Amino acid sequence: MNRQTAPAPKPGDYKSGVHPVWCPGCGDFAVLAAITRALAKLQLPKHEVALVSGIGCSGRIPAYLDVYGFHGLHGRALPVATGLKLSRPELTVLAAGGDGDIYSIGAAHFVHACRRNPDITLIVMDNRVYGMTKGQPSPTSEPDFAAALQPEGPHVPPVNGLLLALSAGATFVARAFSGHVDALAEMIIAGIEHPGFAVIEVLSPCPTFRPEQTQWKRQVEDDVFKPASSLQEAMAQVISAPELGTGIVWQTTRPAAEHIPAPPADHAAVMREITQAFLP
Amino acid sequence: MPGTRRESLSLALTGSGGTGMISAGELLLRACARIGLYGLQTRSVGPQIRGGESAALLRIAHYPVEAHDDAFHVLFAADWQNFERFAGEITLADDVVVITDEAATDIPRVVRAHAADIRHLPLHAIAREHKARINMVGLGLLGHLLRLTEEELADIIHWFFTRKGRQQFIEPSIAAMRAGFALAEPMLEEVPSLRTTPDAARAQAKAGRRWLISGNQAVATGFLQAGGRFVAGYPITPATDMLEWLAARLPQLGGQLVQAEDELAAINMVLGASYGGIPAMTATSGPGFSLMAEGIGLGVMAEIPALIVDVQRIGPSTGIPTKSEQGDLQLALCGTHGDAPHLVIAPDCINDAIRTTAWALHLAEKLQCPAVLLSDQKLGQMLSVIDAPEGMPPWKAERETVAACETGDYRRFALTDSGISPVALPGAKGCMHTIDGLEHDEAALPSSKVEDHAAQLEKRWRKLQQMEEWPEEEMRHWADCIGTGEVCIITFGSSAGPAREAIRLAADMGLHARHISMRLLFPPQKKRLHKLLEGVKRLIVVEQTHSGQFLHYLKAHYELPEVVISCRRPGPKPITPQQVLRALREACTVDAKLTERVCT
Ligand SMILES: Cc1ncc(C[n+]2csc(CCOP(=O)(O)OP(=O)(O)O)c2C)c(N)n1
Ligand code: SF4
Ligand SMILES: [Mg+2]
């Protein structure tokens, strides 16, 4: 066995070397950078980290990291991550997806992951658009965001992911901006260290289909949220905060979803006991 | 007129909510099992959520039975409310004896027209007198007709209420049972009965020889036996009771069940847990199975083992949730988009469900591929007395894994001869990679290249196709073939029961035929089936569908004998041995050259 201690991994060591498909200037590059910084800072062994994603530009992120990755179905990152975490509690499990992925097609899973509270850190890369399918309105799009599929804009209020998370029982709720990589990395560290389900909504601009989002770097207001002492207070903060405000708004502890227990020493004996009940 | 003596006796117990007919049927079956008789019970329930009319349909025999007979010999009706809902499922024998309350004035025309012997007895009065339920009167009466003793019936009542913690009902129930038992005394010689008295069975019965088990429990047992440890599911009739049974037992075996928010979550949780290395399954029925199609495709593409149990019910859409059909076959085979080879396997009776489920999980893990297990409501919810298995099936969930890779060139989807690439589970040092629903290359990197798609597609097929070359001893379980002759019945799943019985009945008449019961439906085993079909001139395809899905499947994958006869019927009326026997006799005797024809 190799007893030499390997040099401490640096952020770059967590990159796979696969060239991202993302457009130049895409906010997702910064999310990738922040994840690598967080993992390096926590000194997590690469083989003990798993990142599960859905489908979208955002969903492409696992392949760009040199950890265990699972690029599954549109909307279904959270159930996969939940199954994985239950079966392998010793792994650090992250999940990632887009605003469409998490708040639209996967919305039911989002709500129920918040309730179940598995020890997973979820990164929602919110660009208020369906990037991968080329520019349709998403659940977080502004009511007047006109696009070919909805020429008048969706004309319905956007989903407030933070409010949804709070009302569904999430135990860690935060928003960050991908342009502030260090702050985002710190947020991801806090999420990983949180013993339960951590929701981090990341404002991650899509310069291709939402060029106006390049202005976010001037509009974002950092640390508008102060950790709330009650759920009511957290909700009030989210409702009254500026649209592009960041910070951790809620953190509490609640028992995390239980893991799969260890198998018995004598499987055959337990099977005999179970099948005894079939005797008439 | 003395009652006929029969090889097996079929009894129907019907009544409205609160009459407890299903419990009475189960207790009767359990009492029979205890003295060494065999039998089965299916139930037919109305649409009410709780209570409502229900029918317990029983068949009792001295030998193992897998299917209902054509007709019922005894009909016990606690009342006649909504009887017409079941009437189509309860064919009355010519010599049927109908037992009803003395005050019953609403006996349906179908019953009055058919039954010559209707007995009006003080059923409700006795129940009232003893402050017990009418089902206990029925238990005593029917138990006596089956020649059970009062003590045997009292024991079962004792067991029932003790288990439920309702000891206060024991005494009144036993009193009502005894009164019902006495009511049967004058009828004993006039009512159809079993040919051999239960004394023969009693003499034979050795403690521990019989199991009383449902198909859903058998499937769950097979999963646990093979090492399954994670289940995610969403409630749906008729699969829910399997999930509930597993929920109570998984923790003892180092397992866990998660009630998912929907079937999309269930299949994806299963894939997540299995990706982590834990053998996993979900159980559902048609509507949920339809929702799982995309997830099954992901399992194929990313090569993740998973067991998906579909307890089929009548469809499409919500269909008839509580009743059986085999109409999901084509969905199981082809219901996932793209060219998505995966295992499709069907257990063919309750006894077999333990073995076949263990085999299916074993194959899924070995081949790193989803396996669909096609059960159905009839098989799943049938409660049956079987011979306790001699031993448990040998198959275990075993995946070929890589513990670590020093050189850093681990290739998750390496193109091996077998098509099976050893898997590095998360946590394996130096083997990091991203599995993907996107097409990929050997190193698991997304690829849209012609060569990579061709090579990986071919690899995913090769994994399954090579099963045709596996040694015979490893593949013995793929199908069963009994009998000889030029006429052959072929079935999959629960239709095997009536077919096997038809073969035995035919043999008694001097007609010799074969029966092939296929368990492995995909990948097809061309050489193996063709060998079983050697010398067969006429093939009878028996299935519980309207459109002949199994027939079309066989035609698509196999060379069939010149004459193919399709014997099919949609649910909920079960396929019976007599129905198959009629098809068989016709095929054996009619000389004219038949081409494919349907006989129902
Ligand atoms: C079941 C299914 N429906 C539709 C799609 C097509 N699709 C791919 S990505 C996507 C939307 C992505 O939007 P979002 O989740 O916001 O991610 P982004 O690309 O913006 O990062 C859609 C609709 C799909 N892959 N699967
Ligand atoms: S379309 Fe938008 S979200 Fe997608 S890669 Fe390009 S910039 Fe990023
Ligand atoms: Mg988006």
Side-chain angles (χ1 to χ4, degrees):
Chain A
M1 233 173 88
N2 183 3
R3 288 189 174 277
Q4 258 184 318
T5 38
K10 295 189 215 23
D13 294 332
Y14 290 92
K15 289 211 174 129
S16 69
V18 175
H19 187 69
V21 295
W22 297 321
C23 313
C26 176
D28 296 351
F29 282 106
V31 178
L32 176 62
I35 294 175
T36 60
R37 282 186 209 182
L39 297 179
K41 193 132 186 218
L42 291 167
Q43 290 290 297
L44 291 171
K46 296 194 275 187
H47 59 279
E48 290 174 11
V49 178
L51 173 54
V52 181
S53 71
I55 298 291
C57 300
S58 42
R60 289 286 190 138
I61 201 162
Y64 309 143
L65 285 159
D66 193 26
V67 300
Y68 280 91
F70 190 124
H71 182 204
L73 300 176
H74 190 28
R76 317 295 165 216
L78 285 172
V80 170
T82 302
L84 176 60
K85 183 67 194 182
L86 295 179
S87 72
R88 299 292 302 278
E90 75 282 12
L91 299 174
T92 298
V93 178
L94 308 174
D99 39 322
D101 215 23
I102 303 294
Y103 298 144
S104 188
I105 193 168
H109 310 314
F110 177 70
V111 168
H112 295 280
C114 291
R115 291 179 57 222
R116 265 187 211 107
N117 198 33
D119 190 5
I120 293 169
T121 303
L122 169 69
I123 298 170
V124 187
M125 293 142 90
D126 182 16
N127 52 13
R128 304 186 177 178
V129 71
Y130 284 8
M132 176 135 279
T133 46
K134 304 200 190 317
Q136 299 79 24
S138 87
T140 52
S141 294
E142 302 76 355
D144 60 353
F145 169 55
L149 194 58
Q150 297 199 61
E152 306 292 320
H155 274 293
V156 288
V159 166
N160 186 326
L162 271 52
L163 212 48
L164 186 59
L166 289 171
S167 52
T171 52
F172 179 110
V173 180
R175 188 186 287 132
F177 173 51
S178 69
H180 298 166
V181 181
D182 280 324
L184 175 56
E186 287 306 319
M187 195 86 88
I188 294 171
I189 290 170
I192 292 174
E193 286 178 339
H194 172 71
F197 191 54
V199 178
I200 305 174
E201 186 184 88
V202 182
L203 300 164
S204 180
C206 170
T208 301
F209 296 108
R210 303 299 309 266
E212 66 280 17
Q213 290 173 352
T214 52
Q215 295 306 309
W216 278 0
K217 55 179 175 286
R218 271 180 277 283
Q219 297 161 345
V220 162
E221 294 176 48
D222 269 331
D223 295 321
V224 299
F225 297 127
K226 301 288 164 245
S229 55
S230 72
L231 193 57
Q232 287 89 329
E233 197 195 307
M235 287 186 168
Q237 279 196 47
V238 171
I239 291 166
S240 58
E243 235 192 298
L244 300 174
T246 71
I248 299 173
V249 68
W250 179 240
Q251 188 168 9
T252 184
T253 49
R254 186 155 62 77
E258 268 182 50
H259 302 135
I260 299 178
D266 191 347
H267 183 271
V270 180
M271 283 308 295
R272 272 195 299 280
E273 194 187 309
I274 288 174
T275 54
Q276 274 290 312
F278 295 136
L279 296 173
Chain B
M1 201 180 71
T4 52
R5 298 271 168 162
R6 303 196 165 261
E7 296 303 328
S8 77
L9 201 67
S10 293
L11 309 103
L13 290 73
T14 66
S16 56
T19 53
M21 289 299 106
I22 303 282
S23 308
E26 278 187 29
L27 292 178
L28 207 52
L29 188 62
R30 189 174 288 273
C32 288
R34 284 189 177 181
I35 66 157
L37 286 166
Y38 295 89
L40 58 84
Q41 173 182 298
T42 59
R43 46 181 154 158
S44 187
V45 293
Q48 286 81 1
I49 305 305
R50 188 156 204 138
E53 66 284 353
S54 57
L57 308 174
L58 279 90
R59 184 177 181 199
I60 307 290
H62 289 282
Y63 50 89
V65 282
E66 300 176 50
H68 273 303
D69 208 346
D70 259 37
F72 288 86
H73 311 110
V74 179
L75 169 61
F76 178 93
D79 57 54
W80 296 101
Q81 267 178 47
N82 295 322
F83 177 80
E84 68 283 1
R85 289 217 174 113
F86 315 117
E89 290 167 65
I90 305 176
T91 307
L92 302 177
D94 291 337
D95 59 346
V96 66
V97 172
V98 176
I99 296 161
T100 182
D101 192 64
E102 55 190 352
T105 52
D106 53 350
I107 302 175
R109 186 189 303 269
V110 278
V111 176
R112 273 184 286 133
H114 196 96
D117 188 347
I118 299 180
R119 307 213 170 199
H120 293 266
L121 299 172
L123 307 174
H124 284 287
I126 292 176
R128 269 195 304 276
E129 181 192 332
H130 295 283
K131 298 194 169 53
R133 291 210 298 176
I134 189 170
N135 64 347
M136 292 297 143
V137 184
L139 179 63
L141 195 156
L142 297 172
H144 199 175
L145 294 184
L146 284 163
R147 308 302 195 268
L148 297 168
T149 67
E150 278 179 281
E151 283 57 50
E152 284 158 356
L153 294 166
D155 279 352
I156 214 81
I157 292 173
H158 206 276
W159 170 88
F160 180 66
F161 287 113
T162 307
R163 198 189 51 145
K164 292 194 143 193
R166 299 197 178 154
Q167 279 82 350
Q168 71 273 27
F169 294 125
I170 295 177
E171 233 177 85
S173 298
I174 289 180
M177 177 277 289
R178 287 190 196 279
F181 195 90
L183 279 183
E185 188 67 41
M187 323 167 29
L188 285 180
E189 295 312 314
E190 299 159 17
V191 176
S193 60
L194 285 174
R195 188 180 301 285
T196 343
T197 65
D199 289 336
R202 284 189 192 92
Q204 259 184 27
K206 294 187 196 100
R209 288 290 308 286
R210 304 272 190 276
W211 276 7
L212 184 64
I213 181 174
S214 75
N216 279 347
Q217 290 169 348
V219 165
T221 302
F223 171 73
L224 295 179
Q225 169 61 25
R229 283 175 55 211
F230 181 77
V231 181
Y234 188 77
I236 187 167
T237 304
T240 312
D241 54 61
M242 185 190 306
L243 296 170
E244 289 171 341
W245 192 90
L246 282 163
R249 284 150 189 89
L250 273 161
Q252 296 174 57
L253 286 161
Q256 190 184 19
L257 179 139
V258 175
Q259 180 178 336
E261 54 271 27
D262 54 35
E263 286 86 353
L264 306 165
I267 181 71
N268 282 282
M269 284 180 185
V270 163
L271 293 175
S274 177
Y275 169 63
I278 301 280
M281 72 164 253
T282 181
T284 186
S285 191
F289 187 51
S290 300
L291 289 182
M292 290 183 186
E294 193 193 15
I296 294 171
L298 173 60
V300 172
M301 189 57 132
E303 304 200 35
I304 308 170
L307 182 68
I308 300 100
V309 180
D310 176 15
V311 189
Q312 297 167 93
R313 64 191 219 184
I314 294 181
S317 190
T318 312
I320 308 181
T322 53
K323 304 201 177 181
S324 205
E325 218 166 60
Q326 294 185 297
D328 293 357
L329 174 62
Q330 291 297 348
L331 179 65
L333 291 164
C334 327
T336 307
H337 63 274
D339 263 341
H342 58 276
L343 295 155
V344 180
I345 297 171
D348 83 352
C349 68
I350 291 181
N351 226 323
D352 180 62
I354 303 173
R355 286 190 299 274
T356 297
T357 309
W359 191 54
L361 185 66
H362 165 78
L363 289 177
E365 290 278 331
K366 178 175 169 138
L367 296 166
Q368 299 180 23
C369 175
V372 175
L373 191 83
L374 272 182
S375 177
D376 58 38
Q377 185 274 337
K378 189 174 89 172
L379 186 62
Q381 297 197 315
M382 180 189 283
L383 192 61
S384 177
V385 184
I386 62 170
D387 284 313
E390 293 289 332
M392 279 303 211
W395 299 290
K396 292 283 179 190
E398 284 155 340
R399 214 179 300 177
E400 201 185 330
T401 55
V402 175
C405 175
E406 308 253 309
T407 50
D409 58 354
Y410 171 70
R411 289 170 306 144
R412 168 67 189 93
F413 300 110
L415 297 169
T416 58
D417 284 346
S418 65
I420 302 168
S421 327
V423 57
L425 301 175
K429 234 175 169 167
C431 303
M432 289 74 69
H433 62 277
T434 291
I435 60 163
D436 212 312
L438 284 168
E439 187 58 284
H440 39 255
D441 64 10
E442 285 187 82
L445 297 174
S447 168
S448 53
K449 286 188 200 152
V450 174
E451 314 83 79
D452 286 327
H453 181 49
Q456 291 293 322
L457 190 59
E458 206 281 321
K459 159 193 162 41
R460 292 189 290 269
W461 281 92
R462 186 162 74 238
K463 282 196 298 189
L464 300 200
Q465 274 166 343
Q466 45 128 6
M467 290 177 78
E468 277 218 76
E469 313 306 326
W470 284 3
E472 222 39 53
E473 60 272 18
E474 250 178 86
M475 285 296 291
R476 203 153 285 150
H477 200 63
W478 92 275
D480 276 348
C481 182
I482 57 166
T484 53
E486 295 182 345
V487 176
C488 179
I489 303 169
I490 190 162
T491 58
F492 82 97
S494 69
S495 298
R500 270 194 282 263
E501 189 165 342
I503 292 281
R504 280 195 297 271
L505 294 171
D508 292 345
M509 304 164 110
L511 292 176
H512 295 285
R514 295 182 213 187
H515 172 226
I516 297 171
S517 165
M518 289 175 68
R519 295 191 186 87
L520 183 62
L521 297 164
F522 205 92
Q525 302 295 301
K526 284 197 204 310
K527 280 182 263 180
R528 290 194 167 90
L529 184 66
H530 292 157
K531 193 152 174 241
L532 296 181
L533 286 173
E534 259 168 35
V536 171
K537 299 241 163 71
R538 288 162 190 224
L539 184 69
I540 308 171
V541 182
V542 178
E543 62 186 297
Q544 184 124 47
T545 72
H546 173 75
S547 62
Q549 294 191 17
F550 185 47
L551 171 74
H552 299 308
Y553 155 82
L554 290 171
K555 282 186 178 176
H557 293 285
Y558 299 100
E559 279 151 41
L560 302 180
E562 215 177 320
V563 178
V564 177
I565 301 156
S566 173
C567 174
R568 62 196 197 229
R569 164 193 278 178
K573 198 166 178 173
I575 292 171
T576 64
Q578 296 295 336
Q579 180 193 3
V580 180
L581 183 64
R582 278 193 295 277
L584 188 61
R585 289 174 71 178
E586 227 177 87
C588 288
T589 50
V590 175
D591 223 19
K593 194 173 152 185
L594 297 160
T595 46
E596 184 206 316
R597 58 189 291 269
V598 179
C599 50
T600 49

